[in-house]
Amino acid sequence: MSNQQQPANIIFESSKHLESGEPEPQLKPNLLTLYSMRFCPFAQRTRLVLQHKQLPHQIVNLNLVRKPDWFLAKTRTPEPPLYPGDARKRAAMRLAVGKMGDSVIPAFYRWAMRRGDEQKAEWESLLAGLTQLQAQLGDSNFFGDCDGANGRPDDLALDRAAAGRRKDAGLPAARGQYRQALKAGTGSSRGKNVLMETAKHLESGEPEPQLKPNLLTLYSMRFCPAHRLVLQHKQLPHQIVNLNLVRKPDWFLAKSASGKVPALLEPDGSVLEDSLVTSRHLEETHRESALYPSNADKRAQMDGVIAQMGEKVIPAFYRLFGVSGDEKKAAFEQLVTELESMQSTLGDSNFSPMADLMIWPWFERLKPSCSLAGFQVPEERLKSLMSWMGRMEQQRAVLETRNTDEA
Ligand SMILES: N[C@@H](CCC(=O)N[C@@H](CS)C(=O)NCC(=O)O)C(=O)O
């Protein structure tokens, strides 16, 4: 910004990146303050919104290697407020932002850091990500018509949480053992609101099942951490089509952009993808049994928990199955450390309804997965999380979506 005219709505900007040991600058009262770093693209997202809305604000630039204590003492993240009024557009928006975090941003950094043939290969993957993103771009901007945002909260951090779960396609190799271990938990009874569920995972070559009309349809796979939880929590009538993810039927690929589950087919024929995106969409379009806290601070905390899960815990969880020997031990210790950090944000009770449900599938799998990897969950270190798990296991949605091997 140094060579350019400072926009009038930026009332103050610290001229240097402040670091540990330096005093906190005198902030102008009653003004938005953005803690930032000049070259950070994520901070730029927020600056873009501030400029788009021409909101008066001040910017405190920070040295991210030696962060000042007064900054570390502040934890809240601002809520980005630019949303289309239409719930489906909001869902599409989240998907596009998620895609950016999932594939385009990592490919961009890999491309910038590699050389020679490796760099060429990364360029291809960057282009592939951009092409996918472009598929969502209409004639103008992505979501140019942000007609009267309806005040519903949302966040980009949550969408970024999806980025942590790219590599989650594989279940442990010893699938039978794993299922057995999962089964050892409480049994499940499918809720009455599940009006149809395919008895098997349908595959390429098999005909599309006859779907009941005017009903939500969830394309799923029984052992995937897909989120049936929100449908159960809200007791929404729906039908489930389970799919073989190795040999996906063509009729499913024709409906889905990513070919992944979960995907939600709405009665009007539109298809939504991504577990976080579809869960939030259901919350926004079906107000019964609300999952968002009404308090804005609590909503921000909820987003933080979901983001922490996606960025830290879930990658650590899957890493356990990608390494062996000493690396496996280190991966387990890392997982426990991440869980401890998660625990430190858990109060005396639960996280928040949406956060509880969005992180639960991996906790359901925690003990069986650790024991399969040859470790035991250190319950003493994770006491509050264990009590939270005990409470979660009583919840109706959890009981009604629990995995069993009844297929
Ligand atoms: N970001 C997606 C990830 C979905 C995902 O990776 N699903 C896995 C099953 S657990 C899948 O469909 N894998 C098949 C594939 O990658 O082709 C979400 O949150 O829904």
mmCIF file of all heavy atoms in Angstrom, residues 102 162 165 168-169 224-225 245 248 259-262 274-276, ligand 1:
data_model
loop_
_atom_site.group_PDB
_atom_site.id
_atom_site.type_symbol
_atom_site.label_atom_id
_atom_site.label_comp_id
_atom_site.label_asym_id
_atom_site.label_seq_id
_atom_site.Cartn_x
_atom_site.Cartn_y
_atom_site.Cartn_z
ATOM 1 N N ASP A 102 -9.394 -25.699 -0.807
ATOM 2 C CA ASP A 102 -9.067 -27.120 -0.975
ATOM 3 C C ASP A 102 -8.018 -27.363 -2.027
ATOM 4 O O ASP A 102 -7.105 -28.138 -1.839
ATOM 5 C CB ASP A 102 -10.315 -27.849 -1.495
ATOM 6 C CG ASP A 102 -11.111 -28.450 -0.381
ATOM 7 O OD1 ASP A 102 -10.757 -28.234 0.773
ATOM 8 O OD2 ASP A 102 -12.095 -29.142 -0.698
ATOM 9 N N ALA A 162 -12.889 -27.229 5.316
ATOM 10 C CA ALA A 162 -12.966 -28.338 4.368
ATOM 11 C C ALA A 162 -11.601 -28.630 3.767
ATOM 12 O O ALA A 162 -11.309 -29.751 3.387
ATOM 13 C CB ALA A 162 -13.959 -28.017 3.270
ATOM 14 N N ARG A 165 -9.528 -31.577 4.787
ATOM 15 C CA ARG A 165 -10.040 -32.929 4.641
ATOM 16 C C ARG A 165 -9.905 -33.483 3.235
ATOM 17 O O ARG A 165 -10.595 -34.400 2.857
ATOM 18 C CB ARG A 165 -11.494 -32.976 5.112
ATOM 19 C CG ARG A 165 -11.548 -32.844 6.602
ATOM 20 C CD ARG A 165 -12.945 -32.860 7.120
ATOM 21 N NE ARG A 165 -13.645 -31.680 6.685
ATOM 22 C CZ ARG A 165 -14.697 -31.719 5.905
ATOM 23 N NH1 ARG A 165 -15.164 -32.837 5.470
ATOM 24 N NH2 ARG A 165 -15.275 -30.609 5.561
ATOM 25 N N ASP A 168 -8.895 -37.322 2.868
ATOM 26 C CA ASP A 168 -9.591 -38.230 3.762
ATOM 27 C C ASP A 168 -10.314 -39.360 3.041
ATOM 28 O O ASP A 168 -11.163 -40.002 3.611
ATOM 29 C CB ASP A 168 -10.579 -37.435 4.627
ATOM 30 C CG ASP A 168 -11.656 -36.760 3.784
ATOM 31 O OD1 ASP A 168 -11.598 -36.894 2.550
ATOM 32 O OD2 ASP A 168 -12.524 -36.122 4.370
ATOM 33 N N ALA A 169 -9.937 -39.586 1.791
ATOM 34 C CA ALA A 169 -10.712 -40.564 1.029
ATOM 35 C C ALA A 169 -10.577 -41.985 1.563
ATOM 36 O O ALA A 169 -11.509 -42.757 1.512
ATOM 37 C CB ALA A 169 -10.313 -40.518 -0.431
ATOM 38 N N CYS A 224 -18.506 -43.509 5.575
ATOM 39 C CA CYS A 224 -17.843 -42.231 5.343
ATOM 40 C C CYS A 224 -18.354 -41.247 6.392
ATOM 41 O O CYS A 224 -19.524 -41.281 6.755
ATOM 42 C CB CYS A 224 -18.228 -41.763 3.943
ATOM 43 S SG CYS A 224 -18.114 -40.012 3.716
ATOM 44 N N PRO A 225 -17.457 -40.343 6.861
ATOM 45 C CA PRO A 225 -17.954 -39.377 7.833
ATOM 46 C C PRO A 225 -18.926 -38.383 7.195
ATOM 47 O O PRO A 225 -18.808 -37.187 7.349
ATOM 48 C CB PRO A 225 -16.685 -38.656 8.310
ATOM 49 C CG PRO A 225 -15.552 -39.413 7.763
ATOM 50 C CD PRO A 225 -16.054 -40.168 6.564
ATOM 51 N N LEU A 245 -17.958 -46.101 -3.870
ATOM 52 C CA LEU A 245 -17.141 -44.953 -4.273
ATOM 53 C C LEU A 245 -15.964 -45.340 -5.165
ATOM 54 O O LEU A 245 -15.257 -44.484 -5.693
ATOM 55 C CB LEU A 245 -16.639 -44.214 -3.038
ATOM 56 C CG LEU A 245 -17.754 -43.593 -2.193
ATOM 57 C CD1 LEU A 245 -17.186 -42.857 -1.004
ATOM 58 C CD2 LEU A 245 -18.618 -42.657 -3.030
ATOM 59 N N LYS A 248 -18.267 -45.775 -9.156
ATOM 60 C CA LYS A 248 -19.455 -44.918 -9.000
ATOM 61 C C LYS A 248 -20.387 -45.042 -10.205
ATOM 62 O O LYS A 248 -19.923 -45.033 -11.352
ATOM 63 C CB LYS A 248 -19.018 -43.452 -8.891
ATOM 64 C CG LYS A 248 -18.178 -43.174 -7.655
ATOM 65 C CD LYS A 248 -17.615 -41.766 -7.680
ATOM 66 C CE LYS A 248 -16.559 -41.603 -6.617
ATOM 67 N NZ LYS A 248 -15.634 -40.516 -6.833
ATOM 68 N N GLY A 259 -18.157 -35.729 -7.744
ATOM 69 C CA GLY A 259 -18.237 -37.189 -7.659
ATOM 70 C C GLY A 259 -18.077 -37.688 -6.221
ATOM 71 O O GLY A 259 -17.875 -38.874 -5.993
ATOM 72 N N LYS A 260 -18.129 -36.764 -5.258
ATOM 73 C CA LYS A 260 -17.948 -37.185 -3.868
ATOM 74 C C LYS A 260 -19.264 -37.210 -3.115
ATOM 75 O O LYS A 260 -20.213 -36.535 -3.480
ATOM 76 C CB LYS A 260 -17.005 -36.213 -3.162
ATOM 77 C CG LYS A 260 -15.619 -36.279 -3.740
ATOM 78 C CD LYS A 260 -14.655 -35.518 -2.885
ATOM 79 C CE LYS A 260 -13.297 -35.614 -3.547
ATOM 80 N NZ LYS A 260 -12.232 -35.334 -2.669
ATOM 81 N N VAL A 261 -19.270 -37.976 -2.043
ATOM 82 C CA VAL A 261 -20.411 -37.948 -1.136
ATOM 83 C C VAL A 261 -19.948 -37.293 0.167
ATOM 84 O O VAL A 261 -18.762 -37.358 0.484
ATOM 85 C CB VAL A 261 -20.954 -39.365 -0.847
ATOM 86 C CG1 VAL A 261 -21.436 -40.013 -2.118
ATOM 87 C CG2 VAL A 261 -19.936 -40.250 -0.147
ATOM 88 N N PRO A 262 -20.828 -36.626 0.902
ATOM 89 C CA PRO A 262 -22.246 -36.532 0.665
ATOM 90 C C PRO A 262 -22.599 -35.544 -0.427
ATOM 91 O O PRO A 262 -21.885 -34.574 -0.652
ATOM 92 C CB PRO A 262 -22.776 -36.022 2.002
ATOM 93 C CG PRO A 262 -21.667 -35.200 2.553
ATOM 94 C CD PRO A 262 -20.420 -35.918 2.128
ATOM 95 N N ASP A 274 -20.632 -31.227 -0.565
ATOM 96 C CA ASP A 274 -19.766 -30.892 0.562
ATOM 97 C C ASP A 274 -20.556 -30.929 1.867
ATOM 98 O O ASP A 274 -21.577 -30.252 2.012
ATOM 99 C CB ASP A 274 -19.112 -29.514 0.387
ATOM 100 C CG ASP A 274 -18.039 -29.295 1.444
ATOM 101 O OD1 ASP A 274 -18.397 -28.908 2.560
ATOM 102 O OD2 ASP A 274 -16.873 -29.558 1.146
ATOM 103 N N SER A 275 -20.018 -31.683 2.819
ATOM 104 C CA SER A 275 -20.752 -31.913 4.069
ATOM 105 C C SER A 275 -21.029 -30.626 4.838
ATOM 106 O O SER A 275 -22.129 -30.432 5.359
ATOM 107 C CB SER A 275 -19.980 -32.883 4.947
ATOM 108 O OG SER A 275 -18.642 -32.458 5.097
ATOM 109 N N LEU A 276 -20.054 -29.720 4.920
ATOM 110 C CA LEU A 276 -20.282 -28.490 5.679
ATOM 111 C C LEU A 276 -21.281 -27.601 4.958
ATOM 112 O O LEU A 276 -22.157 -26.995 5.564
ATOM 113 C CB LEU A 276 -18.973 -27.727 5.873
ATOM 114 C CG LEU A 276 -17.964 -28.346 6.839
ATOM 115 C CD1 LEU A 276 -16.675 -27.529 6.858
ATOM 116 C CD2 LEU A 276 -18.539 -28.434 8.235
HETATM 117 N N1 LIG B 1 -15.062 -31.859 1.293
HETATM 118 C C1 LIG B 1 -15.965 -32.953 1.119
HETATM 119 C C2 LIG B 1 -15.175 -34.258 1.175
HETATM 120 C C3 LIG B 1 -16.048 -35.430 0.800
HETATM 121 C C4 LIG B 1 -15.253 -36.701 0.599
HETATM 122 O O1 LIG B 1 -14.005 -36.701 0.461
HETATM 123 N N2 LIG B 1 -15.994 -37.824 0.550
HETATM 124 C C5 LIG B 1 -15.380 -39.107 0.285
HETATM 125 C C6 LIG B 1 -16.064 -40.201 1.080
HETATM 126 S S1 LIG B 1 -15.813 -40.032 2.818
HETATM 127 C C7 LIG B 1 -15.622 -39.463 -1.179
HETATM 128 O O2 LIG B 1 -16.681 -39.209 -1.718
HETATM 129 N N3 LIG B 1 -14.625 -40.063 -1.826
HETATM 130 C C8 LIG B 1 -14.721 -40.483 -3.182
HETATM 131 C C9 LIG B 1 -13.773 -39.732 -4.087
HETATM 132 O O3 LIG B 1 -12.921 -38.961 -3.588
HETATM 133 O O4 LIG B 1 -13.867 -39.951 -5.292
HETATM 134 C C10 LIG B 1 -17.065 -32.937 2.184
HETATM 135 O O5 LIG B 1 -16.888 -32.354 3.250
HETATM 136 O O6 LIG B 1 -18.143 -33.462 1.915
#
